[in-house]
Amino acid sequence: AAAFFSLQPVTSALAGIHLFRDPLPASQDPTCPTAAEPGVGTSSLALAAWIRSLPGLIVSNPRLVEVGGLRGTEIDVAIRSDWTQSCPFANGLPTVPLFVGSDGQLRWVVAGSERLRLSLLDVPGGGTVVVDIDAFDGSLWEDLLAVATPIVQSFVFAAP
């Protein structure tokens, strides 16, 4: 199975909408392994609280959200301007590990000027879906939100 599903404009790989099924909170070890951070829950509320606790990030207050029939928590995320820690593969760009997959096939980090809107959604019967409106180049953020929000609002998730 694919680690995530992505919708991107043909004109740019620097912005898009990404969907993750059951991502795990990423280890905050400075080596940035594809391992989960121990002791963190995976419900929408647990993920939002954990992301808000990460020292390298600026995170909005959580908002209740419904996307495609699933309910959860929405937060906006960016890297702090004074954050300098970087993953070994990031060529010195400030990074904060965010999600990994249970199979080691996914490693999602926030890097540089990147801006994200995460809808952390609880799936009835267990698990989560994360919808990520993501501008890898933060200067594209406002335009991306204007285009991507109606797309995300059109999603309908099938019952598991």
Side-chain angles (χ1 to χ4, degrees):
F4 65 95
F5 179 77
S6 183
L7 297 169
Q8 293 178 292
V10 293
T11 55
S12 174
L14 296 177
I17 303 167
H18 312 281
L19 290 93
F20 306 93
R21 179 70 159 109
D22 296 326
L24 300 173
S27 167
Q28 296 301 295
D29 184 285
T31 63
C32 302
T34 54
E37 183 74 7
V40 180
T42 56
S43 71
S44 67
L45 289 173
L47 287 172
W50 174 75
I51 292 167
R52 293 189 77 218
S53 77
L54 297 176
L57 298 178
I58 299 168
V59 183
S60 69
N61 287 326
R63 304 174 290 273
L64 293 176
V65 68
E66 183 174 329
V67 176
L70 300 179
R71 293 179 182 197
T73 306
E74 179 182 84
I75 51 175
D76 294 342
V77 178
I79 288 191
R80 291 172 49 111
S81 60
D82 60 351
W83 187 252
T84 58
Q85 189 169 312
S86 180
C87 287
F89 52 81
N91 298 320
L93 195 64
T95 51
V96 175
L98 193 60
F99 297 126
V100 294
S102 59
D103 58 4
Q105 297 298 307
L106 169 69
R107 174 184 6 223
W108 199 261
V109 301
V110 184
S113 69
E114 186 173 1
R115 302 274 307 272
L116 305 84
R117 174 162 291 166
L118 298 174
S119 296
L120 309 160
L121 307 169
D122 294 305
V123 177
T128 53
V129 170
V130 175
V131 179
D132 170 21
I133 298 175
D134 199 312
F136 296 108
D137 174 346
S139 71
L140 304 174
W141 177 242
E142 295 298 333
D143 289 340
L144 175 63
L145 272 185
V147 173
T149 299
I151 295 170
V152 169
Q153 290 173 344
S154 76
F155 288 175
V156 176
F157 293 106

